[in-house]
Amino acid sequence: MAFPTETVYGLGAIATNDRAVSRIFHAKGRPWQNPLIVHITDRSAAFPLAYWTDTAEVLADAFWPGPLTLVMTRKVSAPISPLATAGLSTIALRVPAATVARDLLQEVMLPVAAPSANPSGRVSPTRAEHVNDGLGEEVDLILDGGPCSVGIESSVVDVSGETPKILRVGGIPVAQIEELVGKVATRGETDAITSPGQLDSHYAPNAQLRLDADTVDGHEALLAFGPEPLPGAKLTRNLSAEGDLGQAARDLFAHLRDLDAAGVESVAVMPIPNVGLGAAINDRLRRAAAPRSQPTAG
Ligand code: TXA
Ligand code: MG
């Protein structure tokens, strides 16, 4: 079943059930080596599943419930399908804040493994219609909670070791994390793939994106940001006329989908300030613009 969280819609399965979890991988066409996030109601539900570190405690205190996923060392006794964690010694845990997600977790009283509810490698869904468009044939039930309030996936932070590491920038700005735990390593382009969802081409719309544009070519549509959209585009969508990064994050994936639906082939994207949620927006735009020949995941 698909359900809304504050970040994006997830495709959920009871995380203790191998068969249910394997259906997620089939439905999305997701590589088996890419682990899923396990969603829980609160911190106490994490105790049987993972070992806590000091950083994990600090970050969970500050940001749970919310758009933060913590990667911790998995307890051997954790009753979670090894498919969900892709056979790794770690487990990714998240306590979502959205009411529908919380109600669902309360109701099932078990951990729910849920990746974003899109075919692997495509743009994540932020509305129920998006789930239906991408996975309508595969999914038997979609809970409609309206548009997601954050609109960009959770920040994934590895807190299993001595020093925390950001594996995916997301709904919690890096500066807010660093305020609490000091300077945090962000996953560099050259690192080994410790989070398989970090492969390059991802969040891919059909249209080709050209980033940091300061002009628009005649054949391009424009994805604008701010009060002064560049002139000359055959079609313009503005992420936020007020220059509000929260609004831009909320609507980013819907705009990419709308441009595809309009049959646009190339899109010039105006620069987005790389602060706060801007870093996560720019990360998703870079992946959406990456060459398509590379493997995809997620
Ligand atoms: O906002 C979100 O996080 C949404 C909602 C539904 O919660 N979920 C989501 O899931 O974005 P997904 O599967 O699309 O992305 C999960 C990311 C992937 O990059 C995956 O590789 C990483 O988390 N991940 C999961 N378990 C991991 C682990 N044990 N170690 C490292 N990375 C892990
Ligand atoms: Mg995903």
Side-chain angles (χ1 to χ4, degrees):
M1 116 170 15
F3 64 97
T5 79
E6 68 278 20
T7 57
V8 300
Y9 277 71
L11 180 60
I14 303 295
T16 54
N17 183 319
D18 284 325
R19 210 177 73 84
V21 173
S22 80
R23 282 188 64 200
I24 288 184
F25 286 87
H26 282 295
K28 281 181 60 93
R30 181 177 178 109
W32 296 99
Q33 66 271 23
N34 192 1
L36 308 178
I37 295 173
V38 174
H39 297 68
I40 50 179
T41 44
D42 54 34
R43 273 169 71 152
S44 66
F47 295 134
L49 307 181
Y51 293 102
W52 285 76
T53 56
D54 292 346
T55 351
E57 302 249 0
V58 170
L59 293 177
D61 268 347
F63 301 118
W64 277 2
L68 174 74
T69 294
L70 295 175
V71 172
M72 299 191 236
T73 301
R74 182 189 157 128
K75 285 190 176 164
V76 177
S77 56
I80 298 293
S81 165
L83 292 174
T85 49
L88 297 173
S89 58
T90 52
I91 183 168
L93 296 174
R94 166 157 128 78
V95 175
T99 314
V100 178
R102 293 183 69 74
D103 288 351
L104 175 68
L105 290 168
Q106 293 284 357
E107 197 64 37
V108 300
M109 290 202 303
L110 285 167
V112 170
S116 51
N118 51 281
S120 194
R122 310 304 299 202
V123 176
S124 293
T126 51
R127 320 219 155 142
E129 309 86 89
H130 299 167
V131 180
N132 192 42
D133 291 345
L135 291 176
E137 304 278 299
E138 315 288 337
V139 176
D140 36 25
L141 183 65
I142 304 171
L143 299 182
D144 187 349
C148 300
S149 61
V150 176
I152 235 161
E153 300 85 349
S154 60
S155 302
V156 179
V157 186
D158 184 341
V159 289
S160 64
E162 292 270 294
T163 47
K165 193 167 177 190
I166 295 186
L167 302 179
R168 178 174 75 184
V169 291
I172 308 273
V174 176
Q176 286 189 30
I177 294 171
E178 293 190 328
E179 211 168 280
L180 296 170
V181 298
K183 187 90 187 119
V184 180
T186 306
R187 198 187 166 281
E189 300 286 275
T190 53
D191 288 13
I193 292 169
T194 51
S195 189
Q198 301 296 301
L199 302 178
D200 259 348
S201 173
H202 199 86
Y203 309 103
N206 294 324
Q208 193 59 54
L209 306 190
R210 185 169 65 83
L211 306 184
D212 291 323
D214 50 14
T215 56
V216 181
D217 291 342
H219 67 288
E220 287 177 322
L222 176 68
L223 188 56
F225 179 77
E228 292 173 41
L230 296 168
K234 61 174 193 178
L235 171 68
T236 294
R237 303 288 308 232
N238 201 335
L239 286 165
S240 171
E242 291 79 39
D244 173 357
L245 290 167
Q247 182 184 19
R250 204 151 46 236
D251 294 340
L252 172 67
F253 293 147
H255 282 306
L256 292 178
R257 285 167 182 274
D258 289 350
L259 288 165
D260 273 350
V264 167
E265 283 176 10
S266 353
V267 182
V269 184
M270 286 175 67
I272 316 290
N274 207 41
V275 295
L277 285 175
I281 295 172
N282 283 324
D283 172 82
R284 301 308 187 265
L285 285 169
R286 269 196 304 277
R287 289 170 199 284
R292 301 297 155 75
S293 55
Q294 302 185 28
T296 63

